[in-house]
Amino acid sequence: MAKRQDTKKFFENLSGAGKSIGVLTSGGDAQGMNAAVRAVVRMGIYVGAKVYFVHEGYQGMVDGGDNIEEASWESVSSMLQVGGTVIGSARCKEFRSHEGRLKAAHHLVQRDITNLCVIGGDGSLTGANLFREEWSGLLEELVQQGLIDEKAAQNNSELHIVGMVGSIDNDFCGTDMTIGTDSALHRIIEVVDAIMTTAQSHQRTFVLEVMGRHCGYLALVSALACGADWVLIPEMPPEDGWEEQMCQKLSESRSRGSRLNIIIVAEGAIDRQGKAITVNNVKDNRADKKRLNIIIVAEGAIDSHNKPITTDHIKELVVSCLGFDTRVTILGHVQRGGTPSAFDRILASRMGVEAVLALLEASASTPACVVSLCGNQAVRLPLMECVQMTQDVQKAMDEKNFEEAVRLRGRSFENNLNTYKLLSYRKADSELPNSSFNVAVLNVGAPAAGMNAAVRSAVRVGITEGHKMFAVNDGFEGFYKGQIKEIKWGDVGGWTGQGGSILGTKRTLPAKHLDKIAEQIRIHNINALLVIGGFEAFECLLQLYEARTSHEDFCIPMCVLPATISNNVPGTDLSIGADTSLNAIVETCDRIKQSASGTKRRVFIIETMGGYCGYLASVGGLAAGADAVYIYEEPFDIRDLQSNVEHLTEKMKTGIQRGLVLRNENSNENFTTDFIYQLYSEEGKGVFDCRKNVLGHMQQGGAPSPFDRNFGTKIAAKAIQWISRKLKESYKEGKVFANTEDTACLLGMRRRAMVFQPVVQLKDQTDFVHRIPKEQWWLKLRPLMKILAKYKTSYDVSDSGQLEHVTRVRPKKVD
C-alpha cells in the first residue's frame, strides 16, 4: 500500500494546473494519429491542463484564429477508429521562415501555450526543435514590436516540445515502430492476400505499386508477411547478377510445384552502383508452369537514366520479356487510409499519455524529446539525436555504406532483414551444412493465427542449418501415436497467410504417455523439439523436462514458442496470435459502437475470450475505447458495477450517448455476462437500454495479422538457431545429451528483448490453477484505459519512460 501512496504523491507532483498544451499533426497523415491526439487531450485535461487543437499543422499555428481551438473531453469522442487526422495536416512553407515562426509564437503566447505535442515525421519534429531554440528570441521580438508585454513574455518564457512519430514508412531512427506503420502493413497484406486468391485461378502476373521512397521497411516486412520469394529495398541493394539469381530462384520454386511467386520492390530500390532497378533482364520461365507472379513496385521508382518507371512500363516489360498475361494494381494512398489497427491504437494511446507526462516533467534544461517504442517499452529519446541518426542513414546510403545504413535503422529493421535472409533462398542440398540432427516441430493447445508462419520459418531455417525437419500432427496426441513425418522446404510454401494450425493441434499433455513419446523419439531419432502453442505447450515442456530423470530420451534441447490468443503464457509479454485476436475484437467493437451511435442512449456488453487472463478484454478495451472492462485479475463487486452504471448515466447527459463494456469470460463466477447485462438494463432503465454480444470463437479465426506473421516468423527463426547451438554443445561421443535447465527453454518477449528462459525457472512465476502468470505487464495499462474513459484513478508513473540516449553501438547479443 505504501508504494501506491508514493506513486500517487509522485503523480500529484505532475499536476498540469495552470498549463496549456497544444497538439498538432504535421506532414503526411498516418492511421493512429487520432488515437494519439485523443490520448493527449484526455490525459492533459485529466491532469488539469488546458489542451488546444492546432488545426492544419504548422499552417494553423501561423494563421492563428479559429485554427487554435480549445479541446474538450467530448471533442475527441469517436476519433479512435478514424484513419488520417481529424484536426488536419498541411505542409507549411511559411513556418520555415523566421517571420512565419514569429507569427506562430505570437498566436501561442496569446493563449499561454508553452507545451507542444507534435505528431509527425522527422521534418515536422526538426521544425519544432528549431522553434524551441528560437523561442526566447522570438518573444523578445514580439515585445519590441509591442505585440506582447513583458509580463506575457515572462509567463511564457519556456517552450517545451515532445514529439511522437507518425509515419507509415517507419523511417525514423530510435523507435521500433512509428504510428501508422502497422496499419499500412494491414492494407498491403490485405491486397496481396486478395490478389493471391484470384491469381490462383489464372496464369497471370500482377504488378503492385507500393510506397516507401526512402525506407524499405514496408517492403521488407510485407515480404516476410506474405512469404515473398524476392525483395528489393534501398538498404540492401542486390549484388551484380541478381537478375539471373532471381530467375533461377523463380524457376526452382516452379519446378518444386509452387503455384506462386511474389517479388516485392521498394520504390527507392537501387543496385550496388546506385542505379534504380528495372525488370529488363527477367527471362521467361513459363516452362515450369508457374501460374502466378506478383511484382510489387513503389510509386517513385526510376530507371538508371532517372526516367520514372510507371506500372504501365512494368506491365509492358513483363509482357514483352515473359509473355505473361499481366494486370496492374496501384495501392497508392490506400496504404495511408482505412481504420487504424489495434496495434496502432494502443501504441498511439500509450505514446500520447507518455507525451503528456514528459511535458509535465520538462524543464529548461530538458532537451526536446521524442516518445519511442523499444521492444514492448515506451522510452524517451532526445529528439535531435534521433533526427541526426535518421539523416545519417541517408548519408550512409549515399556513400554506398549499406551495412552501416542497416545498423543505423535499428534493431527491429536489422532483425527483419536477417530473418528474411535466412528464409530467402533455398540452397542446393550440396551447399547445405550436414548436421545429421533431426528436429521435430509440433503445435499444442488451441489454434492461434501465426502458428503456421512460425512452423514455416522453423522448417526452412532448420533445413538451412542442415537439419532434417520432422512435422508432428495433432500435438503430443499425434506424437505418441507416431504421426511424425519428414517435412521439406516446399511443403510449407504459402503457409504464412493461413489461419489456424495446418499441422493440427490438441490440448493433450504428455505426462500419461511418456513411455510412448520416448519410444517415438527413439524410432525417429529426434534430437531436438520445438513446441509452438499456449499454456499447454509450456506445461508440456515442463513435464518433459521433469521426466528427464526417468527417461533419458527427453535429454534433448527443447524450446517452446508462446502462441495463444489469450496471451497467458508466463515468461513473455506477447504471444503469437494475440494481435490477430485483438484486431477481431476491435473491428467488432467499432461496428457495435457505430450501431450504438445511430440508436443513441445504448450500452453494449461484450464478452471476450481469454480464460482467466484479462489481456484481450483490457487491451481490446483500450483499443476500442471501452467505458469499463471486467477481468479476473482485478476483483470487482456490486459497488463497482453500480459506480460504472452511474458513470454511464452521467455520460448519457453529454453528447456521447453510447457506451461499451467488455467482460472477460471468466472474470467472475457470479457476475456473469447475463447478470451484468440484466443489472445494467435495470439500473439504466429510462436513461439507456442495453444489448449484449458474446464474441466467441471468431476471435481465434481469420488470416493472421502482419504482426503475428512476422512475430511468428522471427521468433521461430531465433528458436531454431538456439536449438542448433544447443545441439552442437550437447553432442558428445556420437550422441546428443542435454539435461541442464538451460536446454529446456521458453523464448519470449520481455520488455525490450527476446529472452530464452528455462521453463523450470518460470514455475514460480505461474498460477497453474488459473493458467496465468502471477505478474502481467499489461495490468499497468488498466489505469490508462480508465483515465481515457474519464474515471478518476491512480496512475503508476514509476514505469514511465525516462530520458535516454540513442544507442549507436550495441553490445553483442547474449542469450
Side-chain angles (χ1 to χ4, degrees), residues 7-23:
T7 302
K8 277 186 178 180
K9 186 177 180 182
F10 183 40
F11 188 64
E12 285 163 5
N13 289 341
L14 296 178
S15 169
K19 296 186 177 181
S20 295
I21 299 170
V23 57

Side-chain angles (χ1 to χ4, degrees), residues 220-233:
L220 177 59
V221 177
S222 297
L224 278 171
C226 67
D229 301 279
W230 202 271
V231 69
L232 296 160
I233 60 172

Side-chain angles (χ1 to χ4, degrees), residues 333-584:
H333 284 74
V334 165
Q335 295 157 89
R336 289 194 186 279
T339 59
S341 65
F343 182 96
D344 272 330
R345 298 185 199 194
I346 296 157
L347 174 67
S349 298
R350 290 174 70 181
M351 283 185 166
V353 168
E354 188 67 40
V356 172
L357 294 176
L359 284 171
L360 296 183
E361 292 176 2
S363 66
S365 59
T366 309
C369 76
V370 62
V371 180
S372 299
L373 182 74
C374 182
N376 188 38
Q377 191 174 15
V379 296
R380 301 175 197 169
L381 298 171
L383 173 58
M384 291 316 294
E385 285 187 20
C386 296
V387 169
Q388 183 60 53
M389 188 179 282
T390 303
Q391 293 170 351
D392 288 347
V393 172
Q394 192 58 50
K395 183 182 176 184
M397 288 166 61
D398 292 341
E399 295 172 353
K400 296 186 174 56
N401 188 352
F402 300 108
E403 289 75 16
E404 177 69 2
V406 168
R407 190 184 69 79
L408 290 170
R409 277 278 182 233
R411 181 186 61 176
S412 175
F413 189 94
E414 203 170 1
N415 287 345
N416 282 312
L417 184 55
N418 290 337
T419 306
Y420 175 77
K421 286 178 179 177
L422 273 174
L423 295 165
S424 65
Y425 193 60
R426 166 73 164 95
K427 294 179 181 177
D429 292 338
S430 59
E431 296 176 24
L432 292 172
N434 185 13
S435 73
S436 73
F437 294 125
N438 295 341
V439 180
V441 182
L442 67 158
N443 294 336
V444 173
M451 274 183 166
N452 298 321
V455 172
R456 169 187 176 270
S457 176
V459 167
R460 293 195 168 178
V461 173
I463 290 170
T464 302
E465 298 268 300
H467 309 318
K468 189 179 282 188
M469 301 300 295
F470 286 83
V472 182
N473 295 118
D474 298 334
F476 279 102
E477 185 174 312
F479 205 126
Y480 80 79
K481 291 178 178 177
Q483 295 172 210
I484 305 167
K485 63 178 181 180
E486 187 179 355
I487 187 165
K488 303 278 192 177
W489 184 280
D491 296 336
V492 291
W495 281 29
T496 50
Q498 299 294 315
S501 167
I502 295 173
L503 289 183
T505 179
K506 299 276 187 179
R507 296 180 183 272
T508 307
L509 299 179
K512 295 179 181 178
H513 312 283
L514 292 174
D515 290 336
K516 289 182 179 178
I517 293 170
E519 183 185 0
Q520 291 298 330
I521 287 176
R522 288 194 299 274
I523 290 171
H524 293 91
N525 191 26
I526 301 298
N527 306 119
L529 210 54
L530 180 65
V531 184
I532 303 166
F535 196 88
E536 292 92 350
F538 164 66
E539 286 184 296
C540 288
L541 218 65
L542 198 53
Q543 289 180 1
L544 293 180
Y545 170 78
E546 290 173 344
R548 279 176 169 178
T549 51
S550 57
H551 294 79
E552 192 176 300
D553 298 288
F554 300 138
C555 293
I556 56 176
M558 299 184 286
C559 184
V560 61
L561 301 183
T564 167
I565 68 167
S566 303
N567 199 31
N568 63 330
V569 181
T572 188
D573 290 355
L574 301 169
S575 301
I576 300 165
D579 183 73
T580 304
S581 187
L582 279 175
N583 278 289

Side-chain angles (χ1 to χ4, degrees), residues 170 177 181 185 189 216-227 231 233 264 412-413 416 706-707 709-710 714:
N170 202 29
M177 287 289 274
T181 304
L185 287 169
I189 295 306
Y217 186 89
L218 286 179
L220 177 59
V221 177
S222 297
L224 278 171
C226 67
V231 69
I233 60 172
I264 296 182
S412 175
F413 189 94
N416 282 312
F707 181 92
R709 298 184 195 198
N710 287 299
K714 286 190 285 189

Side-chain angles (χ1 to χ4, degrees), residues 143-439:
V143 172
Q144 289 169 5
Q145 293 177 19
L147 294 172
I148 63 172
D149 57 28
E150 288 284 355
K151 185 179 180 183
Q154 193 174 352
N155 291 342
N156 298 278
S157 59
E158 294 177 11
L159 178 67
H160 303 300
I161 301 284
V162 172
M164 286 182 275
V165 189
S167 166
I168 68 166
D169 293 334
N170 202 29
D171 56 354
F172 191 82
C173 293
T175 185
D176 287 351
M177 287 289 274
T178 57
I179 296 167
T181 304
D182 187 70
S183 300
L185 287 169
H186 273 259
R187 300 296 92 79
I188 294 169
I189 295 306
E190 283 165 10
V191 171
V192 174
D193 283 354
I195 282 175
M196 286 168 69
T197 56
T198 183
Q200 295 290 352
S201 306
H202 303 277
Q203 294 190 45
R204 281 182 181 153
T205 295
F206 278 83
V207 181
L208 274 72
E209 185 178 284
V210 173
M211 288 181 172
R213 188 181 299 275
H214 302 295
C215 177
Y217 186 89
L218 286 179
L220 177 59
V221 177
S222 297
L224 278 171
C226 67
D229 301 279
W230 202 271
V231 69
L232 296 160
I233 60 172
E235 296 88 348
M236 188 186 69
E239 302 288 347
D240 291 344
W242 65 271
E243 298 92 342
E244 289 75 16
Q245 275 190 321
M246 184 178 74
C247 291
Q248 183 185 350
K249 182 176 181 183
L250 299 183
S251 179
E252 287 176 357
S253 69
R254 292 184 184 194
S255 64
R256 287 195 298 268
S258 170
R259 293 169 64 90
L260 173 67
N261 286 130
I262 302 175
I263 304 165
I264 296 182
V265 185
E267 61 183 300
I270 53 175
D271 63 17
R272 290 277 162 176
Q273 279 68 49
K275 293 180 180 178
I277 289 168
T278 72
V279 293
N280 284 321
N281 294 346
V282 179
K283 302 293 188 291
D284 189 351
N285 286 306
R286 276 210 303 170
D288 294 302
K289 297 189 174 134
K290 174 77 178 178
R291 297 186 67 87
L292 170 68
N293 296 101
I294 298 180
I295 303 172
I296 301 183
V297 185
E299 56 181 338
I302 55 174
D303 66 13
S304 55
H305 304 291
N306 288 326
K307 291 181 180 177
I309 301 176
T310 65
T311 49
D312 286 336
H313 179 50
I314 292 285
K315 176 181 175 179
E316 288 168 12
L317 286 169
V318 173
V319 170
S320 62
C321 296
L322 297 173
F324 288 171
D325 180 12
T326 306
R327 297 289 184 271
V328 170
T329 300
I330 299 174
L331 296 187
H333 284 74
V334 165
Q335 295 157 89
R336 289 194 186 279
T339 59
S341 65
F343 182 96
D344 272 330
R345 298 185 199 194
I346 296 157
L347 174 67
S349 298
R350 290 174 70 181
M351 283 185 166
V353 168
E354 188 67 40
V356 172
L357 294 176
L359 284 171
L360 296 183
E361 292 176 2
S363 66
S365 59
T366 309
C369 76
V370 62
V371 180
S372 299
L373 182 74
C374 182
N376 188 38
Q377 191 174 15
V379 296
R380 301 175 197 169
L381 298 171
L383 173 58
M384 291 316 294
E385 285 187 20
C386 296
V387 169
Q388 183 60 53
M389 188 179 282
T390 303
Q391 293 170 351
D392 288 347
V393 172
Q394 192 58 50
K395 183 182 176 184
M397 288 166 61
D398 292 341
E399 295 172 353
K400 296 186 174 56
N401 188 352
F402 300 108
E403 289 75 16
E404 177 69 2
V406 168
R407 190 184 69 79
L408 290 170
R409 277 278 182 233
R411 181 186 61 176
S412 175
F413 189 94
E414 203 170 1
N415 287 345
N416 282 312
L417 184 55
N418 290 337
T419 306
Y420 175 77
K421 286 178 179 177
L422 273 174
L423 295 165
S424 65
Y425 193 60
R426 166 73 164 95
K427 294 179 181 177
D429 292 338
S430 59
E431 296 176 24
L432 292 172
N434 185 13
S435 73
S436 73
F437 294 125
N438 295 341
V439 180

